[in-house]
Amino acid sequence: MIAIYALTWLGVLAAQISPGPNLAAVASVGLAQGRRSALFVVSGISSGMLVWSILTALGLGALIEAFPFSLLVLKFVGGGYLLFLGIKAARATLKKGANATIAPDARPLTAGQAWRRGVLVLLTNPKAALMWAAVASFLFGQDLSAWHVLAFGPMGALSGLVIYGTYALLFSSGVAMRGYSRFSRWFEGVFAAAFGAMGASLIWSGVREARN
């Protein structure tokens, strides 16, 4: 189980480090309004991750319990989506050119508004829901119980809190703007490798199960 958690966490970590709506929300607020507002956005994003992880774990767990055959379907669907994410990240790694710049967001935010922005960025992003569903499918596909899958949620939320919290500190000081675009391609590469391995493993597990 530790090895399965480690591979899954590596993929989630790489996804959190890579460019996306979450990073853009944190960085844009941090650049214009400083670390305090950016950290509240981070706390909202982490809260949203926890919500999606719980919903996908419990939802898929109930589906598998009611319809055991659905696990085989989830292996192919979840594995295919993980492979898609891995291939997309690999293409971004190989693509030349700078990433899009992040524009500062100078609209004043209270602590509550910043937190809500983070929550909404995460909960209204369909890719986040699909990613957590694919991650849960991978964990279920490794014969883990619903409780084991549910226990992974706080790990993903905690890593998001640390990673995006670090970004909040860096972007609020302007340090990250000078080096992020250069190193983000390496993060995409790790993301591609981890999610590609997870997707291939899940599909292969489905193939073996279908043969039996």
Side-chain angles (χ1 to χ4, degrees), residues 2-15:
I2 295 176
I4 295 170
Y5 266 17
L7 175 59
T8 309
W9 206 10
L10 177 62
V12 171
L13 285 171

Side-chain angles (χ1 to χ4, degrees), residues 27-124:
S28 62
V29 173
L31 286 169
Q33 303 182 45
R35 67 183 62 182
R36 182 177 182 275
S37 294
L39 287 173
F40 274 107
V41 174
V42 171
S43 67
I45 290 173
S46 183
S47 300
M49 288 179 185
L50 192 57
V51 170
W52 273 132
S53 66
I54 292 173
L55 290 177
T56 53
L58 294 180
L60 293 180
L63 177 66
I64 292 169
E65 185 176 354
F67 306 99
F69 182 75
S70 63
L71 178 59
L72 178 61
V73 177
L74 286 173
K75 286 182 178 182
F76 288 109
V77 174
Y81 186 67
L82 288 169
L83 273 179
F84 167 75
L85 291 177
I87 293 171
K88 185 177 179 181
R91 291 178 62 185
T93 303
L94 298 174
K95 185 178 179 181
K96 296 181 180 180
N99 295 313
T101 57
I102 298 173
D105 188 346
R107 291 172 294 179
L109 297 172
T110 65
Q113 289 172 335
W115 180 83
R116 285 195 297 271
R117 175 174 295 187
V119 171
L120 290 174
V121 164
L122 205 291
L123 294 184
T124 58

Side-chain angles (χ1 to χ4, degrees), residues 1-10 138-139 144 147-152 155:
M1 188 180 74
I2 295 176
I4 295 170
Y5 266 17
L7 175 59
T8 309
W9 206 10
L10 177 62
F138 173 75
L139 294 173
L144 297 185
W147 289 109
H148 290 137
V149 178
L150 191 61
F152 182 80
M155 295 173 60

